[in-house]
Structures are given as structure tokens and as C-alpha cells.
Amino acid sequence: MIMALCLVMAFADLRFFRVQNLMIILQDASIFLVLAMGMTLVITGRGIDLSVGSVAALSAVIMAMLIKDVGFNVFVAMAVAILVGVACGSVNGFVVTKLRVPDLIATLSTDLVFRGLALVLAAGMVLARFPDPLTWIGRGRIFDLLPVAAVIGVIAIAVGYVLYRYTPLGRYAVAIGGNTEAALLTGIDVHRHKIYQYMLLGGLAGLAGILLTGRLNAIQATAGMGLTLHTIAAVVVGGTSLFGGRGSMTGTLVGVLLLSMVVNALVMLRLDFFWQQVAAGLIIITSVAFYAALQDPSTGGLSGLLRRARSGRS
Amino acid sequence: MNQPPPSVRSDAPLLEMHSIAKHFGGVMAVAGVSLHLAAGEALAIVGDNGAGKSTLIKVLTGVHELDEGEIRMEGRLVSITNKRQSRQLGIEAVYQDLGLVDSLDAAGNVFLGHELKRRVLGLNFLDNDRMAREAARVLREEVGIELEDIHVATHHLSGGERQAVAIARAIYATDLKILVMDEPTAALGPEETRNTLALMQNLKSQGIALIVISHNLDHVFRVADRVMVMRAGRAVATLDRRSATKQDVLAYIVDAVDTEAA
């Protein structure tokens, strides 16, 4: 897929391959890397969170108001943003588990709640011009080249990889998503671990809010509208099963980069902005359908296909 | 109600179930069934569909709470109202669906819920290598099966291997005393059936008691010491394998022997 895209872009516009442009792709991808790490765990646990965009906006608005209106230290305000995200995540987890509202409905509703709170707090204002540390995180470059945000994104994925493979948090997400009944029987506290997953994703959405604010050096309550779908698409393109039980952090890394490259390519091709939306949606459907076919149980998924290809040769 | 003597006898059998009754609404699923089981013994429960076999073992494994009767382990009166209590008593069940997490490997399943940890920089991480080694050892030494690749997801294993993993988990999860197996050979080919029956003999020789529900009398007679026949919620006969024939058992199952007369 990535190769196909590169091939198309090689013919269309070689500027796509400039280091500067690749860095822009990384910069764009950074917010999604952060969100997708948590989303991978939630989806692996057979959950979904449609509220991450609003959580990012709410956390960012609260952080911005603390800095601009109350005069908080910028680092304290950033910590508060992450805590707000964690709190929102625990609300999601609570509603999904203890109130037994299906995750789709639950997080669609909390999406409204969090967005609404952000709108109430910001009261239509755009908050702008923040202290240097915040903008450095959002748009700074290391050695004038590597975006700081991208480094944060890649670290997030690396931490996610460790969480997924080497901690009960990841292991139980697989177990809960793969066979909830079996997880319960072995004594795993399913509710508690689902809440942990949502809290982690919430905290990461808070971090995404920080990155968003820093990058634009401005924030408003309507920010981050398209973040959720894009994040879920990247995770699914990366090979994590929407039906739970199977996830891949490295796949998520690839999925995020792939989608960011597609969006970047559309910009490079000077597609009209509104058509970009249409194209992005169609490309997401295409790639998810493509990976769904690969994961079809009747073919044994990607690994099954590969194995069959290998045994066919030998 | 008659209180049995409260004293704990040292020679008491591993498991005693007295006059167990369970009804769902007006339907008597199990109507006063008693059984006993010694360590290392295998009891088969046979009978038609709806005879109450599954309900009876689900009372033992804590899926259903009994309405009447009592359960004793080694002479001690025990209360089993949920699955966890049952497991704490050393009772594990391997159902037909096995309850495995398909996307996890053998070790992931065997240690699910009580993973081995390793401290790195003051943090607890899963010790995947040790779990893989330990799972391979349990499978090899206690279950008697060697997986080609211990790291492959159980989804890709054969029916017999998957069953072995489920049994290894049961062995590892508790101080296993009683293993309940629901139709252990139903989904297996001939080769795997042989392995599973050998595995069951192996468990018996380690002092683990088996309760096996099966429709296959050939398999029942190869592994069980006694065969209990259930019909319409009652135990109509308990036969010794050495003195009974398959025809005897079959006759009880299909009600050719008039048990109500006499």
C-alpha cells in the first residue's frame, strides 16, 4: 500500500519525497500516533472510543484557560490537561462497564458532553499565543529538522508496544477482546481493565490536545473534530481487529503513517480542500476493506495467506 | 432435614454429592442425585440429551447454585455458589468450547489471570520467556504433549492440542483435584482421541479425579472406572466398568431396564 502510494507520487510530484515534506508528514502523524496507541488497546479489548477528539479539545481548552486566564505555569497546565483526559476516559470506562451502555452509544454521547463542556467553557473564543514550551512541543524541531511532536508520537507507540506485549494491561486487552467469558473465568477483573484502557486513551487524548494547541499556537472548542475517525481508521488499517482480541502496535505505527501520507499526497496534488475530505473518506474505506479481506477468518488472515503462499512454493 | 454427622472423616472420599436437586422454574433438571468420587478415579456420566448431566456438573463447577442437597470435599461440607469458589476447591472444568483466547499462544492461555512477572527498573513486566518455558514443561510432563511451536496462537493449533492447552491451564490454575470434562473427544479425530484418552489416564495416575460427560461409550469404557447413567434428572444406575458391558449401560440409557418397578 505504502509502496503503491510512493509509486503514484513518484510520477505525480517528486516534492513528496523531500525531507522537508516527510518531516511534515511526521508532524501531522504525531497527534494520531499518540491517540492510536491508546485506541489500539481499547479496540483490542473489543471496545471503541468515539470521544477522543472532544476529549482532546476539552483538555486543551481547560489548559489554555488556565494559562491565559488564571496564569498557571505552563507545565502545570499541561499536566492538568492530561489529568482532564484521564478523568474523561474514566467517565467513558465507567459508563461502558458499570452502566453497561454499549461503547458505541456511550462514547458517542460522551463525545457530545465533552464537546459541549468545551464550548461552554471557551464561550466561542479562540485562545492563542502560548508560552514557548507549549509551542516547542507542538511545532518545534530538533536540530531544525525532526519535529518534537513526532518524537513524542513515536515514544508513545514504543511505550504502547511494551504495554501490549509485556504488561497485564495489554495481555488482558487481548484476553477480554478475544474471549471475555474466558477472561472472567480466569479471575480477570474485566471491568477494571476496560476502565484502565479508556483512562489511558483519555490521558493520551489530553496529550493530543497539548500537541494540537502547541502546533497551532491557538485553540478553540471546535478543534479536533476529525481526529476520532482518522485514528480508528489508522488503527484498523494497521491490522487491529475491530472485533477485538487481535492488535498490533507496529501495525498501528504503519497505519498512522500510511494515512498521513495519503492526506499529504492529496494536499500535494492540490486537490480542492472539500474534495480532500471525500477522497480521504473513500481511501479509508478502501484500505479498511482491503485489510478486512486479508483478515478474513476463512483465509486465516494475513499470516494464513502468507503461510499458504510459503507452503505452496515448497 | 436430616443433618449428616458433622465430623470430618479421614477416610472420606474426595468428593461426595448428596441428593442434589436443581430446578429451573417448574422443570426439575436434577432431582436428587448422589455420587462419590475418589482421588485418581474417573467417573463417567452418560445419558440422553436433557438427562441432567450438564446441570449436575454445572452445580459442581459453580455455574448453577444447587437448590437442595450438599457437597462434601474430603468429608468437609463446602458451599459452591460461584465459579471462583469451585476453582478454589481444586475443581476445574474443560468444556467443549475450551474457553481459550484464540489469539494468545499456549503460554498466554495457560497463565491467563496469573501471569509470571519480572521486575525491571522497579516495574512489573510479564515474563513471557519463563511462561513459555514453563507452559512447554507442563504440557510435556503433565499433559504429555509437545507443541511444535510454543509461540503459535492457539487459533492455529489442532483440536487435541487446544484441549491439551485448556487442560494444562486447569492443572496450573489451581491445586487441581477434580477435572470435569464435557465431551472431551467429541470434536477430535481418531489419533487425537487416542492422545486425549492417554492424557486422561495420565491425569488419573497423578491422583486427579475425573468426571467425564460423554456420548461415546467406547471412549467411556476405555477411561472410566464407573459409569453413572442419568435419565430425566435422576441417576438410574451406577455401574462398575469391570463388571458391566456397554449393552448394560445402553439398556439403562434407553430405559430398557425397568428401574421404577421393583
Side-chain angles (χ1 to χ4, degrees), chain A:
Chain A
M1 198 81 179
I2 290 182
M3 286 192 323
L5 181 73
C6 289
L7 211 63
V8 170
M9 287 314 291
F11 284 107
D13 194 338
L14 276 170
R15 280 180 304 163
F16 182 77
F17 298 103
R18 282 194 193 159
V19 174
Q20 265 314 322
N21 189 48
L22 295 179
M23 288 304 146
I24 288 171
I25 293 174
L26 272 181
Q27 172 88 56
D28 281 337
S30 58
I31 288 178
F32 296 111
L33 288 175
V34 167
L35 289 171
M37 183 271 253
M39 191 67 86
T40 301
L41 282 168
V42 167
I43 292 180
T44 300
R46 209 187 287 175
I48 194 115
D49 188 344
L50 302 177
S51 73
V52 288
S54 297
V55 174
L58 178 60
S59 312
V61 164
I62 290 176
M63 171 186 70
M65 294 181 75
L66 287 177
I67 294 172
K68 303 297 285 188
D69 300 348
V70 190
F72 262 48
N73 174 289
V74 62
F75 294 105
V76 177
M78 287 194 279
V80 171
I82 289 173
L83 288 178
V84 169
V86 171
C88 293
S90 53
V91 168
N92 281 332
F94 177 81
V95 174
V96 167
T97 57
K98 304 295 179 193
L99 301 186
R100 291 192 221 146
V101 181
D103 42 28
L104 218 61
I105 305 293
T107 57
L108 205 52
S109 312
T110 55
D111 183 62
L112 288 175
V113 172
F114 298 144
R115 180 69 66 186
L117 286 174
L119 287 163
V120 169
L121 284 173
M125 295 219 296
V126 177
L127 295 130
R129 294 201 199 87
F130 294 100
D132 286 344
L134 188 51
T135 50
W136 183 75
I137 287 174
R139 53 160 72 153
R141 296 283 178 98
I142 295 170
F143 306 127
D144 277 338
L145 182 69
L146 197 59
V148 176
V151 173
I152 292 174
V154 171
I155 290 174
I157 291 285
V159 170
Y161 182 83
V162 172
L163 287 176
Y164 188 91
R165 265 195 71 77
Y166 296 104
T167 70
L169 185 76
R171 181 61 51 89
Y172 294 167
V174 175
I176 293 166
N179 192 339
T180 311
E181 188 62 23
L184 274 170
L185 255 172
T186 52
I188 294 171
D189 190 337
V190 169
H191 282 181
R192 201 167 51 130
H193 277 92
K194 280 195 87 101
I195 292 173
Y196 287 165
Q197 293 159 21
Y198 280 104
M199 284 170 72
L200 175 69
L201 177 52
L204 291 167
L207 178 56
I210 296 172
L211 295 175
L212 201 61
T213 312
R215 179 156 83 201
L216 304 171
N217 200 8
I219 191 71
Q220 54 185 341
T222 51
M225 284 281 198
L227 290 182
T228 307
L229 177 64
H230 190 113
T231 303
I232 293 170
V235 169
V236 174
V237 167
T240 296
S241 167
L242 268 176
F243 304 108
R246 219 148 19 103
S248 166
M249 248 349 131
T250 44
T252 292
L253 175 68
V254 173
V256 169
L257 292 179
L258 180 64
L259 284 198
S260 292
M261 286 166 81
V262 167
V263 170
N264 181 271
L266 293 176
V267 177
M268 299 284 293
L269 295 173
R270 291 178 207 289
L271 207 62
D272 178 77
F273 177 76
F274 298 117
W275 281 108
Q276 276 178 36
Q277 302 272 307
V278 175
L282 291 177
I283 286 167
I284 287 172
I285 290 180
T286 313
S287 37
V288 173
F290 175 68
Y291 282 92
L294 281 183
Q295 289 186 357
D296 189 336
S298 64
T299 62
L302 183 58
S303 53
L305 284 177
L306 287 176
R307 204 171 2 195
R308 214 166 321 154
R310 229 176 292 147
S311 62
R313 236 178 291 141
S314 59

Side-chain angles (χ1 to χ4, degrees), chain B residues 20-31 55 59 64-68:
Chain B
I20 303 294
K22 175 73 195 175
H23 49 78
F24 299 104
V27 181
M28 278 306 250
V30 175
T55 307
V59 165
H64 298 318
E65 204 173 332
L66 53 77
D67 293 323
E68 281 168 49

Side-chain angles (χ1 to χ4, degrees), chain B residues 1-13:
Chain B
M1 199 178 141
N2 276 338
Q3 285 297 329
S7 62
V8 175
R9 293 156 292 154
S10 57
D11 60 336

